[in-house]
Amino acid sequence: MKHAVYPGSFDPVTNGHLDIVERAIRIFDRLTIAVLTNPQKNPMFSTEDRMDMIREAVKPFHADIQVDAFHGLLVDYTGQIDASVIVRGLRAVSDFEFEFQISLMNRRLCPEIDTIYLMSAAEYTYLSSGLIREIAILGGDVSGLVPAVSARYLKQTASRS
Ligand code: ADP
């Protein structure tokens, strides 16, 4: 049983994230999507809301997917849930430098856990949660870029601000 963890902020979950999930479940038997609880990042959505959006968005995949939250060191959390692989998505070159640093540090902290990178789908290479939040706040149309559940939460939140 190969168990992988896909960590991130998912603020909110986008079609770019879902593309990575869809491909990861073809490689691994079990996938835990782990939402980082980090109030310093000042997220638009609470951890619970982010988890709810992911849960609804991954339902159609009918796979062994758990949605969880974590804080602290990712390698510690990965060990606690008995996963052996970290999955991350790689977009344009801008992700590379940061991801390279983190993966080297994680390997130093815990050599048994490896990180696997899946290249972003061409149509989602320039898609980020941050960009989606900006477009939604300004009243732009995000359909086709996020699952329906994220569009719904964004609309509700944008109308309140
Ligand atoms: P973080 O704050 O950890 O970067 P994100 O939610 O922004 O959290 O991203 C989580 C993971 O998903 C990261 O590995 C990121 O590179 C990847 N990711 C985000 N958007 C996309 C996308 N459009 N295509 C592929 N991977 C993506």
Side-chain angles (χ1 to χ4, degrees), residues 1-67:
M1 277 292 274
K2 269 276 169 223
H3 181 190
V5 58
Y6 178 29
S9 306
F10 305 104
D11 187 35
V13 63
T14 69
N15 286 349
H17 293 127
L18 294 177
D19 173 61
I20 299 293
V21 170
E22 210 172 351
R23 288 153 58 199
I25 56 177
R26 279 194 241 129
I27 304 172
F28 301 102
D29 305 298
R30 227 179 119 192
L31 184 71
T32 297
I33 304 176
V35 176
L36 174 66
T37 303
N38 182 0
Q40 278 148 356
K41 267 202 163 185
N42 233 332
M44 182 179 213
F45 298 102
S46 68
T47 305
E48 270 313 313
D49 281 354
R50 286 182 271 158
M51 290 170 69
D52 284 345
M53 284 185 261
I54 298 170
R55 276 195 203 99
E56 189 167 329
V58 302
K59 250 189 226 155
F61 295 154
H62 301 292
D64 193 354
I65 300 175
Q66 272 82 42
V67 182

